[in-house]
Amino acid sequence: EPEVTQTPSHQVTQMGQEVILRCVPISNHLYFYWYRQILGQKVEFLVSFYNNEISEKSEIFDDQFSVERPDGSNFTLKIRSTKLEDSAMYFCASISGFGNSPLHFGNGTRLTVT
Amino acid sequence: SQKIEQNSEALNIQEGKTATLTCNYTNYSPAYLQWYRQDPGRGPVFLLLIRENEKEKRKERLKVTFDTTLKQSLFHITASQPADSATYLCALASNSGYALNFGKGTSLLVTP
């Protein structure tokens, strides 16, 4: 069964550094998402992306964050200048169509900011 | 503001019993509601979707009910097994429909 893949599985970075988290969504999916989950907290929506533009973003997704689909297969999340509070699990997800399609999640990148 | 509330307490039950998890929501007018399972260190995995005009949905040992008047969904696992131990998440679409928002989840532990 096709799956969403994320790399790396764990990223350690120093405060103030830029990080790029990478995702390969399922190939025929059209809508792409980033979520984050701080340890012990709920899965929080960051951003949705369709047709090469952001369709919705949350309050968490401020100017420090950006997303890109640089080619036909990758979907990236960039954090420009990481803060300690950015430490979390970041999940990429995709869906085949809009509406009530279920989300397919990757297994996440654990970001640790020191 | 929009809220999705799930039992904050962990649910411990004995193998073979039925587990019932609750999801309550406010300030949503959902056309559908979804349930996901999350294991530690893993991404959520879709289980079931129920539409607003469906009272109940079943899949194998899983059953979901949806009461839009009470603004509540119940998620049942019958004949529970230790392998069912996980966190179960309730999810609703934002008003725009472009985001799926999750509750904090209920942790289920099934003991032999």
Side-chain angles (χ1 to χ4, degrees), chain B residues 28-103:
Chain B
Y28 281 91
S29 299
Y32 58 92
L33 182 146
Q34 300 185 24
W35 283 90
Y36 288 75
R37 168 184 173 141
Q38 187 177 26
D39 291 284
R42 313 279 285 185
V45 174
F46 172 75
L47 295 175
L48 276 171
L49 179 151
I50 185 165
R51 293 181 174 79
E52 61 177 336
N53 59 351
E54 297 175 313
K55 295 288 186 202
E56 182 179 297
K57 195 87 170 270
R58 290 175 187 261
K59 179 182 174 184
E60 298 172 354
R61 294 183 295 109
L62 307 181
K63 185 178 88 170
V64 172
T65 62
F66 191 17
D67 189 326
T68 56
T69 302
L70 288 179
K71 298 186 187 302
Q72 181 181 80
S73 176
L74 298 179
F75 178 82
H76 307 270
I77 305 175
T78 57
S80 58
Q81 303 166 359
D84 295 328
S85 299
T87 297
Y88 291 87
L89 312 178
C90 169
L92 291 165
S94 66
N95 290 338
S96 72
Y98 286 108
L100 196 64
N101 295 324
F102 287 85

